[in-house]
Each structure stands twice: as C-alpha cells, then as structure tokens.
Amino acid sequence: MDSDSLASARRLRGRRAAAVERRFLQPSHPRNGSPAERWRLMVRGRVQGVGYRAGCCRRANELGLSGWVRNLSDGSVEVEAEGLPQQLAELVLWCEKGTLRAQVTGLGTTRVAATGDDWFEIRG
C-alpha cells in the first residue's frame, strides 16, 4: 500500500470513529437553560435529486441539531429537527433556500414532541 493510500485509509478510519462517537454521545442539555424544541418541516418544490437531504443534514449537524430528513413520495422533503429555537430558526432559513439546484416553493412548520435523539440522519 503506497503512502497516499495509507493516508486515505487513516482519514477514513478517523471519520468513521468520529461518526460513531457523535452517534453515541449523551444528549446535550441546552447551555442557556431553554428546553429543546422539535419542529417538523414540510418542504415543497424541486427538492429531490438536487442534494437537498445531504445539505440539510450537513447544516443541521453544523447547528448541533438532532433529528432526520427524508424524501416523500409526493416529491417533497420532510424534516424533523430538535434543538434550541434559535438553531431551529437557522435551519428553517437554510431550508427556505436549500442547495444551489433546489427550488423551494413552500415550507410548512409545525411543533412536535421532543424525543431526546442525539444525532441527525438521512432516512430513505
């Protein structure tokens, strides 16, 4: 195995280990004492086949949110995210624009019961 392949394998192992560690962390408690909220977002428009779920997952992780994102059979995308209201509002702002190739035509938001999940994932 050459040095480039070895370095690549080490990076991949490091990423996997970090992902496993993030997945099994204990749920964090909000720093300012505010209780976590969970919001369901229904995103309509051209949001499938344009990297929307991956971008949403990336942004949710950057914001420290938990939950999931998935495609629906009607061509829309459903997101459930849990965290502080300010972080959730930031995710809503991202969802209104989406990726470069996405064209969001509508976004509905409802509040649902918090689950205490501690990771964000893409669902089928």
Side-chain angles (χ1 to χ4, degrees):
M1 189 178 271
D2 64 5
S3 62
D4 288 338
S5 296
L6 187 58
S8 179
R10 285 184 183 144
R11 279 193 303 275
L12 182 58
R13 270 196 307 272
R15 284 188 204 134
R16 284 182 186 153
V20 167
E21 184 177 322
R22 279 193 308 271
R23 183 168 176 115
F24 294 105
L25 290 176
Q26 295 299 314
S28 60
H29 298 288
R31 286 185 214 125
N32 66 3
S34 300
E37 295 181 4
R38 189 172 188 92
W39 295 0
R40 177 177 293 141
L41 313 174
M42 300 300 289
V43 187
R44 293 174 303 284
R46 194 180 80 186
V47 290
Q48 291 189 15
V50 293
Y52 193 92
R53 290 180 302 158
C56 182
C57 186
R58 188 171 29 259
R59 185 63 181 136
N61 282 316
E62 289 169 357
L63 292 167
L65 297 171
S66 60
W68 48 264
V69 58
R70 68 178 174 183
N71 286 338
L72 297 177
S73 60
D74 66 358
S76 62
V77 169
E78 181 181 21
V79 181
E80 273 200 20
E82 186 170 325
L84 297 175
Q86 183 177 356
Q87 296 165 318
L88 293 166
E90 288 289 328
L91 182 65
V92 169
L93 290 175
W94 184 92
C95 287
E96 288 174 342
K97 289 179 64 178
T99 60
L100 290 175
R101 294 176 29 220
Q103 293 178 344
V104 177
T105 58
L107 187 139
T109 305
T110 56
R111 191 169 172 184
V112 296
T115 64
D117 290 343
D118 61 349
W119 66 89
F120 198 96
E121 67 185 358
I122 297 173
R123 293 187 176 173

